[in-house]
């Protein structure tokens, strides 16, 4: 029991450090960020930071990787809807989640590109390619689509939209612009029968985030019940909050 408590405390401390580091990297960039500022914002000791992360580079890598272990997009029977949902959820969360915002800055900053090996970009390309590959196996893609090529291009286009939105509006219109991106691109990707069913509106990301939160709350409530509980994935499969 003592070991479990210590492990949980260590995980909470690590998360606290990553959130503080994300805010520092997002504000100052990689070169301008300091361990001292992370220590100050996290409210922990310098030793606690170095216990979890050996260097500033390791801390930056941790921020980049953390976005891939957070709550994701619910699985869909239509993989192209899941593909769109992934892009729309990130568009919704990026202005609100320092981990995503800092991950973008660390991935695109010229001062850290070589050091972090492209940051989060390879991970997003891989995730989108996997969704497209499954969509192809289910007959959702037009015949000419090559999942690897399309994943690369869509990720690059999404990144460009994010940069331009940040420059021109501070990301205030990011969801609208990403919605427009998908509405322009998906007719070249999806077969007509699937295209007509895709939900790509600017509010799609917010709706999926609310769906995930509702499923998680239902799962957590079930932990205190003697009745068999429905997990988040199962709740989504049964239509809880599905729009």
């Amino acid at each position: 029991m003592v070991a479990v408590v210590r492990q949980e405390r260590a995980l909470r401390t690590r998360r606290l450090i990553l959130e503080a580091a994300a805010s520092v990297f997002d504000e100052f960039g990689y070169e301008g960020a300091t361990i001292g500022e992370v220590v100050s914002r996290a409210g922990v000791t310098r030793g606690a930071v170095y216990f979890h992360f050996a260097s500033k580079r390791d801390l930056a890598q941790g921020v980049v990787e953390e976005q891939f272990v957070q709550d994701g997009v619910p699985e869909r029977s239509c993989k192209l809807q899941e593909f769109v949902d992934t892009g729309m959820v990130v568009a919704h969360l990026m202005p609100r989640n320092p981990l995503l915002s800092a991950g973008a800055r660390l991935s695109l900053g010229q001062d850290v590109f070589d050091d972090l090996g492209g940051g989060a970009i390879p991970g997003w390309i891989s995730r989108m390619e996997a969704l497209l590959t499954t969509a192809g196996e289910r007959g959702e893609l037009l015949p000419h689509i090559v999942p690897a090529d399309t994943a690369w291009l869509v990720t690059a286009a999404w990144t460009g939209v994010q940069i331009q939105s940040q420059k021109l509006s501070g990301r205030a219109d990011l969801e609208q612009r990403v919605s427009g991106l998908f509405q322009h691109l998906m007719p070249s990707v999806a077969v007509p029968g699937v295209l007509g069913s895709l939900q790509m509106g600017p509010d799609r990301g917010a709706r999926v985030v609310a769906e995930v939160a509702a499923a998680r709350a239902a799962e957590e409530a079930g932990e205190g019940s003697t009745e068999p509980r429905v997990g988040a994935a199962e709740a989504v499969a049964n239509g809880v909050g599905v729009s």
Side-chain angles (χ1 to χ4, degrees), residues 74-75 215-216 219 230-239:
E75 291 189 11
R216 188 193 314 119
E219 182 175 6
V230 178
E234 188 177 350
V236 169
N238 289 335

Side-chain angles (χ1 to χ4, degrees), residues 40-108:
S40 176
R41 294 194 186 189
V44 300
T45 65
R46 188 175 290 265
V49 173
Y50 282 115
F51 174 80
H52 291 279
F53 304 97
S55 64
K56 184 167 78 169
R57 183 200 178 282
D58 284 350
L59 190 53
Q61 188 68 47
V63 168
V64 168
E65 293 174 354
E66 185 68 12
Q67 61 193 280
F68 294 110
V69 301
Q70 300 184 73
D71 285 338
V73 171
E75 291 189 11
R76 308 289 186 194
S77 58
C78 175
K79 287 299 166 180
L80 283 185
Q81 184 64 67
E82 195 174 331
F83 179 83
V84 170
D85 286 354
T86 298
M88 292 306 304
V89 164
V90 176
H92 175 73
L93 292 178
M94 185 163 284
R96 301 167 173 84
N97 186 328
L99 281 164
L100 284 172
S101 184
R105 180 163 184 173
L106 290 169
S107 299
L108 299 171

Side-chain angles (χ1 to χ4, degrees), residues 201-221:
D203 65 339
R204 180 62 183 174
R207 291 162 59 198
V208 174
V209 168
E211 173 190 338
V212 172
R216 188 193 314 119
E219 182 175 6
E220 291 173 353

Side-chain angles (χ1 to χ4, degrees), residues 16-17 19-28 35-44:
L16 187 66
I17 292 168
E19 290 175 347
S23 70
V24 174
F25 285 127
D26 198 30
E27 183 174 345
F28 297 106
I35 296 295
E37 184 64 23
V38 174
V39 167
S40 176
R41 294 194 186 189
V44 300

Side-chain angles (χ1 to χ4, degrees), residues 28-189:
F28 297 106
Y30 182 79
E31 289 297 332
T34 66
I35 296 295
E37 184 64 23
V38 174
V39 167
S40 176
R41 294 194 186 189
V44 300
T45 65
R46 188 175 290 265
V49 173
Y50 282 115
F51 174 80
H52 291 279
F53 304 97
S55 64
K56 184 167 78 169
R57 183 200 178 282
D58 284 350
L59 190 53
Q61 188 68 47
V63 168
V64 168
E65 293 174 354
E66 185 68 12
Q67 61 193 280
F68 294 110
V69 301
Q70 300 184 73
D71 285 338
V73 171
E75 291 189 11
R76 308 289 186 194
S77 58
C78 175
K79 287 299 166 180
L80 283 185
Q81 184 64 67
E82 195 174 331
F83 179 83
V84 170
D85 286 354
T86 298
M88 292 306 304
V89 164
V90 176
H92 175 73
L93 292 178
M94 185 163 284
R96 301 167 173 84
N97 186 328
L99 281 164
L100 284 172
S101 184
R105 180 163 184 173
L106 290 169
S107 299
L108 299 171
Q110 294 300 311
D111 55 345
V112 293
F113 183 82
D114 293 336
D115 201 28
L116 295 182
I121 295 172
W124 285 116
I125 293 174
S126 177
R127 177 171 293 188
M128 300 305 256
E129 181 182 348
L131 289 171
L132 287 172
T133 298
T134 305
E137 294 169 351
R138 298 185 181 186
E140 299 175 14
L141 302 182
L142 292 170
H144 69 278
I145 292 297
V146 178
D149 294 344
T150 301
W152 196 100
L153 289 169
V154 171
T155 302
W158 195 105
T159 300
V161 168
Q162 187 274 138
I163 293 172
Q164 191 150 304
S165 173
Q166 182 181 21
K167 293 291 185 182
L168 297 180
S169 72
R171 298 195 183 115
D173 65 350
L174 182 56
E175 290 174 89
Q176 176 189 347
R177 298 302 182 183
V178 172
S179 172
L181 173 69
F182 280 120
Q183 291 180 48
H184 277 77
L185 294 182
M186 295 312 289
S188 299
V189 175

